[in-house]
Amino acid sequence: MLAAALAGLASEVGKDHPGAGLLITVDELQVAPHRDLALLAATLHRLNVDHPEANVTFAATGLPLTPSVLTAAGVTHPDRLFSVQDIPLNLTPPDARYALVEPARDLEVTWQPDALDRVLAVTNGYPAHLQLLADRVWRAAPGPDTVTLADVEGALPRLAEELEMRTFGPRWDRMSDRQAEFLTALAVLGGRAAMAQLATALGRASTDLSWLRDQLLKEGDIYVPRYGQVAIAVPLFAPFVLARYPQDRRTGQESGIRSLEELRNNSATGQDGPHPGKVTRPNPARLDPPGGPGPRTPPPPR
């Protein structure tokens, strides 16, 4: 019935606007109730089978675990029903620069190269933070026709406060000590590591970390860039974690939670990967990615 109703609606739209149809879009598909996902999949399937002429298109976005959520909801072969495309976690440096330069150029404003470099270094091309920092710089810069490095540096403390208050702080406060410990170990390792490296840093077996990995995946704090690896999903979360962990989390033999120093020492004796000695505890106001300032190669697509 629902498939027939959607097909009918698309047909009525087409009568008023020849060639037009119905577009259904959903964001954060992975948080939908399983029964809704099952209904959605069944409806789209019936549209394909019973109403192939209907001009109906469905598009959705979700975290990398969305296909497994669909499977858990009882959707058979979601890869056959949906055409899945990976969206890169970060913009490439050329795309990130374009996103800043072109809108400003339309208003006859120029970004100085070192100002662009600083924005890219801080945000690592993460779209939401690139947009937020660029907006704060634009509002604060005196102008009239140039955005300078000083303008960017002046906006960074405000950005740090805003991210801590609106994004990082609330999520950090909701984390269990075990989740915070896992994420801190990952930040110590440069923000991306094999599960074996994390096991070494945490002093535990990889199998003991599976439930933590799954929890953080479901929350969107980490993603899987390739089999056997995990990475912090939001680049600026790593320096925030490294700065806050020592003061906010109860560590020690009694709690069983390792200190930041222990995580660094364990990581130093672990397998290949970024040497933790190169990861310094950052000043949150500067918001440099792990490893210090400077453009970094974005991770592979999610």
Side-chain angles (χ1 to χ4, degrees), residues 150-210:
D151 296 331
V152 176
E153 295 292 352
L156 287 179
R158 176 68 185 275
L159 176 67
E161 292 173 5
E162 192 164 353
L163 288 176
E164 180 166 353
M165 180 178 65
R166 293 173 49 184
T167 307
F168 297 154
R171 175 64 194 121
W172 179 250
D173 293 339
R174 291 197 310 270
M175 281 187 184
S176 69
D177 286 343
R178 287 291 185 199
Q179 289 176 329
E181 182 191 43
F182 183 105
L183 207 63
T184 303
L186 186 54
V188 165
L189 289 163
R192 173 175 171 171
M195 287 300 295
Q197 291 176 277
L198 279 168
T200 298
L202 293 165
R204 301 188 183 93
S206 296
T207 52
D208 295 337
L209 303 178
S210 298

Side-chain angles (χ1 to χ4, degrees), residues 48-125:
N48 285 333
V49 173
D50 301 335
H51 309 277
E53 76 291 344
N55 198 3
V56 178
T57 298
F58 174 79
T61 58
L63 294 177
L65 62 114
T66 301
S68 63
V69 172
L70 290 168
T71 300
V75 179
T76 306
H77 298 298
D79 55 316
R80 297 180 186 175
L81 182 61
F82 300 102
S83 174
V84 179
Q85 299 181 21
D86 288 334
I87 300 174
L89 180 67
N90 295 24
L91 295 176
T92 63
D95 284 346
R97 289 176 188 275
Y98 185 89
L100 298 181
V101 169
E102 290 305 312
R105 181 177 295 167
D106 289 342
L107 297 175
E108 299 182 348
V109 175
T110 302
W111 282 76
Q112 289 186 346
D114 55 356
L116 285 172
D117 290 342
R118 184 66 175 131
V119 172
L120 266 62
V122 169
T123 64
N124 200 23

Side-chain angles (χ1 to χ4, degrees), residues 212-268:
L212 281 170
R213 172 184 174 277
D214 292 344
Q215 286 179 347
L216 293 170
L217 278 171
K218 289 177 181 177
E219 289 289 343
D221 298 314
I222 62 175
Y223 72 104
V224 179
R226 59 181 300 180
Y227 182 77
Q229 290 189 348
V230 291
I232 294 177
V234 182
L236 293 183
F237 204 11
F240 174 89
V241 165
L242 290 172
R244 289 285 297 270
Y245 183 75
Q247 66 192 45
D248 290 353
R249 297 295 169 169
R250 185 169 59 96
T251 62
Q253 186 172 0
E254 189 175 301
S255 65
I257 303 296
R258 297 189 181 276
S259 67
L260 180 60
E261 197 60 36
E262 287 178 297
L263 294 174
R264 283 180 168 150
N265 290 338
N266 289 350
S267 299

Side-chain angles (χ1 to χ4, degrees), residues 274-286:
H275 192 286
K278 295 180 181 178
V279 182
T280 57
R281 191 164 120 196
N283 176 354
R286 291 198 60 84

